[in-house]
Amino acid sequence: MTGTGTERPVVPGVRLGRVSFVWRPWLVLVTLLLAAATFLVFCLSIGAGDFPIGLPRVIATIFGGGERFDRFVIMDLRLPRALAGLVVGIALGTSGAITQSIARNPLASPDVLGITQGAGAVAVLLLTVSGGTSAAVAGAAGLPAAALAGGLATGLLVYLLAWRRGIDGFRLILIGISVSAVMQAVTSWLLVTADITDVARAQVWLVGSLDGRGWREAGTALGCTLVLLAVVAGAAFQFRPLHLGDDVAAGLGVRNSPVRAVMLLCAVLLAGVAVSAAGPVPFVALVAPQAAMRLARCATPPLVASGLVGALLLTGADLAARTVLPVALPVGVVTAAIGGPFLVYLLVRANLRRTA
Amino acid sequence: MSAVTEKRPASGSASGVAAASGRRGVGLGVLVAVLVVAGAASLVVGARALSPGEVWDGLFAAPGPDQRLTEIRLIVQTVRVPRTVLAMVAGAALGAAGALIQGCTRNPIADTGLLGVNSGASFAVVSAVTLFGFTNPFQYVWFAFLGAAASGAVVFGLASIGRGAGNPLTLALAGQGVTVFLAAMTTAVALSDQQSLNALRFWNAGTVAGVKFHVIWPVAAFIAAGLVLALATLPAVNMLNLGDDMARAAGVNVGLSRTAAIAAITLLAGAATAACGPIAFLGLMVAHVARYLTGPDYRWLVPYAGLLGAIVLVVCDIVGRLVVRPGELDAGIVVALVGAPFFAALVWRGKFRTA
């Protein structure tokens, strides 16, 4: 896709019984390094706060040891939030890798499919129309569920509208853009007519934030994500030819439509879970697969590495938001502020290298 | 693409080309006529309905002591005419820019926001409101234009570092990167300052109402310059669509052509956005409809897209005045609410192919 990989020699294939794959040492190395970095930042993020805890104590506590007070601070207060960030990052990164591969377009993040905008419209409706006190109640209990429902309903609507004797990547994207435009217009309308205090609250939600996430949100998100990732892993063996298009895949003996439907549904659900847990954190789903692709030197977004880059980005942004920055900002703002320049850096570096 | 071109007569023969050109020319005339009708309707329709005769009087009658006539003159000349002119100018700019950016990035889902134009303008607006305490939109129009132009230049500059003079993929992704970064900064500022949040939400809705002529004329001048530049680059854009190598082989100066096209897009989209706020989706939508009508030749596609954009924005502004009377719905919101389902129906019926 970037044209950097064309000079490389042919990579050897590995066959173990019925399972065969291409052995890419660099991809494995990058994935392992990303996993290690993510874990490190995750632990640092747990340790940071008004009551700082050192890295060894954090790691000991997570794995069941530690003192009683450490256990309380980490297990009850900090771990759920950090875990929510980790899970949301993985879900968004994986979701983006799937949609970009299937649509064969690097701009096709789940945001394009309207999931984020649908969730946003429903959430803003809840925050602005229901008025002061009931909005607070809704914010505590019903908001994640409503956002999830809105996101999934929109995703489903896009899928149904795009269905016409099968799913075509290009049609799916154009329909998705239309539906997102409608949802965005609804949100904009609600914001224009609403009271300014409600607008501020809605804006915070619309950016995406991890503030006050407890075990309930983190646990739900973790459970859903694990199940979905298992499904994705199952389908991923047949996933490779998808980005080659229908004809080539059919020639290789893979029926694309069912596999693609399963993968797309998983992408929609993963994005929906992420949005319900943290709000529509922008850009992770777009930048993580592109960054992972360039780091791992692959031609298509690698699934695992994309999820890890997403997690690293979100966890790192949350850590930065709470420690380095002078004012507390929602994690979505920091994610975009880090992710945007990072993507640009990767692009410029690739351009410069091609000159040399 | 094939479905569109197959319907045409064999384009190899000179008579076939002439026939296709003639048909496209007629289509262009039809669009101009529709635009004129829509513009006339826009003068008539509104919170206070006027008869065509009254509009005529309001436009051309000499000022007199007649109370009713003075009122009509006021409505027509200071409210209806400016917003109609702005809707036409901005719609044409956004439509042409939308078609042009799809040609430059060779990506059918690229829209004018991709160059960071919208986010740059938004960031400039909130910064101006926060730093200088502006409350009146006329004060921050030029900040918005400056922000749009600056971010467009930054995106193109970043994408052009090293080799490539703005490789399409790099351009699209760099645009996304800058867009998201600026959007985050905008939110960060807006969340810390309620006054700029308030300005931002109205700005983001996108409207053509309430802008005075002393803002519209300079904006229109920038847009006219952008349109001229855009038309000048169209033959080269046709070649760029074959790929950079092919274009270079055909004798096109790839770097220069793409720089000119991007400058045109930034001028068009930046000026329109500065005056109206970000009107999303319009450029993308009309570019696809225009491509369906004309085929892939950008020399026809871009003028069609410009006219379609003007028509859609004028019509949407009229619809916005009618649906929630006595209030109004911002044109930017109507474009998405009305245009998107229509567009989705066309997509579903398989009218469009990739660029």
Side-chain angles (χ1 to χ4, degrees), chain A residues 245-262:
Chain A
D246 277 347
D247 296 341
V248 177
L252 292 173
V254 179
R255 282 175 61 221
N256 255 349
S257 277
V259 185
R260 182 151 51 187
V262 171

Side-chain angles (χ1 to χ4, degrees), chain A residues 1-2 105-108 112 160-164 170-175 177-179 181-186 188-197 199-200 203-204 207 282-283 286 290 294 329-330 332-341 343-344 347-348 351-352 354-355, chain B residues 107-110 114 158-164 166-167 169-178 180-181 183-185 187-188 190-191 194 197-198 200-202 204-206 280-281 284 288 324 329-330 332-334 336-337 340-341 343-345 347-350 352-355:
Chain A
M1 195 165 282
T2 51
N105 193 322
L107 298 180
V112 163
L160 288 178
L161 286 176
W163 178 272
R164 190 176 182 233
F170 179 58
R171 187 166 61 228
L172 184 78
I173 290 183
L174 285 185
I175 298 260
I177 290 177
S178 321
V179 174
V182 171
M183 293 298 168
Q184 201 128 44
V186 170
S188 201
W189 188 6
L190 288 169
L191 287 179
V192 168
T193 48
D195 189 70
I196 184 73
T197 50
V199 172
Q203 196 73 38
V204 171
V207 179
F283 202 48
L286 189 138
Q290 290 299 315
R294 283 167 172 75
L329 283 172
V333 171
V334 186
T335 317
I338 298 175
L343 179 64
V344 169
L347 293 168
V348 169
N351 262 2
L352 287 177
R354 240 176 294 161
T355 328
Chain B
N107 194 324
I109 63 171
L114 198 64
L158 284 172
S160 308
I161 292 178
R163 210 193 68 129
N167 163 285
L169 178 69
T170 314
L171 188 66
L173 286 175
Q176 280 288 332
V178 171
V180 170
F181 177 74
M185 294 300 113
T187 315
L191 283 180
Q194 200 172 59
L197 178 62
N198 203 21
L200 186 68
R201 64 171 169 157
F202 290 111
N204 268 340
F281 194 62
L284 182 125
H288 281 277
V324 289
L329 206 50
D330 297 308
I333 293 176
V334 181
L337 286 183
F343 182 70
V347 172
W348 190 81
R349 294 190 50 199
F352 305 133
R353 293 290 181 274
T354 40

